[in-house]
């Protein structure tokens, strides 16, 4: 018997697996490639919501945990994952400049906002009102992380690549069994796939589709992440990721012409050089109505758990939420009420009534 069976290997699954390894717990993983939101994510860690100049939920505590977490992964996997890169917000008016300075007075936000207006020196970007710079930002290479960690688990012989078959799951008083795997606990970290999970499909996981483009722009020569109506994220070799869209109606992973046109229309309002679109990806983010993760145990089955609902901030939220869940299970520490899935107990009771 192993300590845990982890279902799913996106940012949530990896965060929990790595937390288990750091605490010398045994585990097996079952995962397929059905959910792509972690693969197509921009990978930014940015503590500030730049549309409204507000601090993301619990941002400082998440960053304090996430950065050492990825550092340990880099050392363990012998790869670079964390790319320190400035994130700047393009101002569209003097009014937005004033809003930035007003935000500096908000509690805890001044830690992450520069007090200086940066002037634009790039002739290929239209930014006459300059930029505000966010501090302590960077990019995690999520594609490299997912592929490398997957191979790491394969080499250890603990990854079973398949779509999870709920009919093969047997829940017992002291653990679970699944296709010859016996485990004390099972963790479902399947992203938007949670909608098909009979144990947790009562949870309000809405799902928001996001689409990203990759462009090649040899003349752009920009080394900062620029946030305007869209993000431009430098990826090296004159490649930039552009995104993202937010579609609450379409729950597929297929790309759309409409989203591509939306991104390019917004990009063309401030990008002034030629470029070529070289890639287009889509994925459904696991979003929740109250914008908080879904973490905790099943109301009936006490060894069945969920780790989900990171939305577009999985890079920051993943390590934090995984640690919260681990401490809840192993150390009997209470979950923060904002993320505990018990906040939706009425939905569960209604679903079984």
């Amino acid at each position: 018997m192993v300590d845990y069976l982890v279902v799913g290997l996106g940012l949530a699954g990896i965060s929990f697996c790595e937390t288990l390894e750091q605490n010398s717990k045994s585990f097996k993983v079952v995962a397929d490639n059905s959910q792509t939101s972690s693969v197509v994510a921009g990978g930014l860690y940015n503590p500030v919501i730049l549309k409204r100049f507000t601090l993301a939920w619990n941002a400082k505590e998440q960053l304090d945990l996430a950065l050492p977490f990825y550092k340990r992964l880099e050392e363990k996997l012998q790869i670079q994952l964390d790319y320190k890169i400035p994130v700047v917000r393009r101002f569209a008016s003097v009014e937005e400049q004033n809003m930035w300075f007003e935000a500096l007075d908000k509690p805890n936000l001044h830690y992450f906002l520069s007090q200086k207006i940066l002037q634009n020196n790039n002739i290929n970007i239209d930014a006459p009102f300059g930029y505000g710079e966010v501090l302590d930002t960077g990019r995690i290479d999520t594609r490299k992380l997912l592929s490398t960690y997957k191979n790491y688990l394969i080499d250890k012989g603990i990854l079973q690549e398949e779509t999870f078959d709920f009919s093969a799951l047997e829940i017992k008083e002291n653990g679970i069994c699944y296709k010859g795997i016996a485990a004390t606990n099972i963790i479902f970290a399947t992203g938007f796939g949670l909608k098909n999970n009979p144990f947790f499909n009562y949870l309000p996981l809405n799902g928001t589709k996001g689409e990203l483009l990759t462009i090649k722009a040899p003349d752009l020569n920009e080394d900062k992440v620029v946030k305007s109506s869209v993000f431009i994220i430098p990826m090296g070799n004159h490649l930039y990721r552009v995104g993202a869209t937010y579609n609450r109606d379409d729950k597929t992973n297929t790309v759309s012409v409409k989203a591509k046109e939306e991104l390019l229309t917004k990009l063309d309002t401030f990008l002034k050089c030629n470029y070529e679109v070289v890639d287009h990806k889509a994925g459904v983010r696991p979003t929740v109505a109250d914008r908080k993760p879904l973490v905790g145990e099943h109301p009936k089955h006490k060894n069945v758990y969920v780790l989900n609902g990171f939305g577009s901030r999985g890079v920051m939220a993943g390590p934090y939420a995984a640690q919260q869940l681990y401490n809840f299970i192993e150390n009997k520490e209470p979950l923060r009420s904002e993320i505990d899935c018990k906040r939706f107990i009425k939905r569960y009771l209604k679903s079984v009534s």
Side-chain angles (χ1 to χ4, degrees), residues 154-189:
I154 290 173
D155 290 343
K156 293 191 70 173
I158 58 178
L159 173 61
Q160 200 161 307
E161 294 186 81
E162 63 175 66
T163 299
F164 191 83
D165 181 2
F166 287 96
S167 67
L169 177 63
E170 184 180 358
I171 299 177
K172 300 181 179 181
E173 186 174 340
N174 61 342
I176 64 97
C177 289
Y178 177 79
K179 294 187 177 182
I181 301 173
T184 304
N185 305 292
I186 185 169
I187 311 294
F188 288 106

Side-chain angles (χ1 to χ4, degrees), residues 84-301:
K84 305 298 183 184
I85 184 170
V87 174
V88 296
R89 168 62 150 80
R90 172 183 175 268
F91 296 129
S93 63
V94 173
E95 288 74 19
E96 284 196 345
Q97 290 180 343
N98 293 334
M99 289 170 59
W100 180 269
F101 286 115
E102 289 172 6
L104 284 168
D105 295 328
K106 294 180 181 178
N108 301 318
L109 200 54
H110 66 277
Y111 292 111
F112 299 110
L113 300 183
S114 171
Q115 298 185 21
K116 298 180 180 179
I117 299 295
L118 296 182
Q119 298 305 310
N120 174 42
N121 297 315
N122 192 330
I123 61 172
N124 291 305
I125 296 179
D126 179 30
F129 299 100
Y131 303 109
E133 181 178 358
V134 185
L135 308 177
D136 296 333
T137 58
R139 178 178 68 87
I140 299 297
D141 190 332
T142 54
R143 293 188 191 185
K144 187 191 296 184
L145 171 59
L146 268 63
S147 63
T148 307
Y149 204 85
K150 175 183 174 181
N151 290 332
Y152 169 77
L153 295 182
I154 290 173
D155 290 343
K156 293 191 70 173
I158 58 178
L159 173 61
Q160 200 161 307
E161 294 186 81
E162 63 175 66
T163 299
F164 191 83
D165 181 2
F166 287 96
S167 67
L169 177 63
E170 184 180 358
I171 299 177
K172 300 181 179 181
E173 186 174 340
N174 61 342
I176 64 97
C177 289
Y178 177 79
K179 294 187 177 182
I181 301 173
T184 304
N185 305 292
I186 185 169
I187 311 294
F188 288 106
T190 53
F192 189 64
L194 192 74
K195 300 297 287 186
N196 300 318
N197 186 317
F199 297 101
F200 292 107
N201 57 9
Y202 70 91
L203 292 171
L205 192 75
N206 303 325
T208 305
K209 182 176 180 177
E211 299 192 42
L212 287 165
L213 302 177
T214 301
I215 65 169
K216 187 167 187 176
D219 296 330
L220 181 51
N221 295 320
E222 182 56 63
D223 58 2
K224 299 183 292 294
V225 175
V226 178
K227 172 64 171 78
S228 184
S229 48
V230 290
F231 273 106
I232 298 180
I233 306 174
M235 306 297 290
N237 298 318
H238 304 299
L239 297 175
Y240 301 84
R241 199 159 293 166
V242 177
T245 59
Y246 290 82
N247 187 330
R248 293 178 176 82
D249 299 321
D250 185 357
K251 310 298 184 182
T252 70
N253 291 328
T254 55
V255 300
S256 66
V257 173
K258 181 179 179 182
K260 180 179 180 180
E261 291 176 347
E262 176 188 337
L263 291 172
L264 294 180
T265 297
K266 291 178 177 179
L267 180 65
D268 289 343
T269 61
F270 64 95
L271 188 63
K272 300 304 178 185
C273 63
N274 293 327
Y275 60 85
E276 173 191 3
V277 177
V278 296
D279 197 15
H280 185 181
K281 299 286 188 183
V284 180
R285 308 176 187 89
T287 53
V288 187
D290 64 5
R291 302 186 182 187
K292 304 294 191 303
L294 299 169
V295 184
E297 66 182 359
H298 188 269
K300 178 181 178 183
H301 304 291

Side-chain angles (χ1 to χ4, degrees), residues 11-12 15 37-38 41-60 62-63 66 70 87 109 134 136-138 140 142 227 231 246 285-287 291-293 308-321:
L11 287 170
S15 295
S37 62
S38 294
L44 291 180
Y45 53 88
N46 165 28
V48 180
I49 300 171
L50 290 173
K51 185 176 182 179
R52 301 184 294 272
F53 301 151
T54 55
L55 193 65
W57 175 77
N58 207 28
K60 190 175 188 309
Q62 288 183 26
L63 269 180
Y70 292 115
V87 174
L109 200 54
V134 185
D136 296 333
T137 58
I140 299 297
T142 54
K227 172 64 171 78
F231 273 106
Y246 290 82
R285 308 176 187 89
T287 53
R291 302 186 182 187
K292 304 294 191 303
N308 210 311
F310 299 162
S312 60
R313 293 186 174 270
V315 162
M316 287 176 54
Y320 174 82

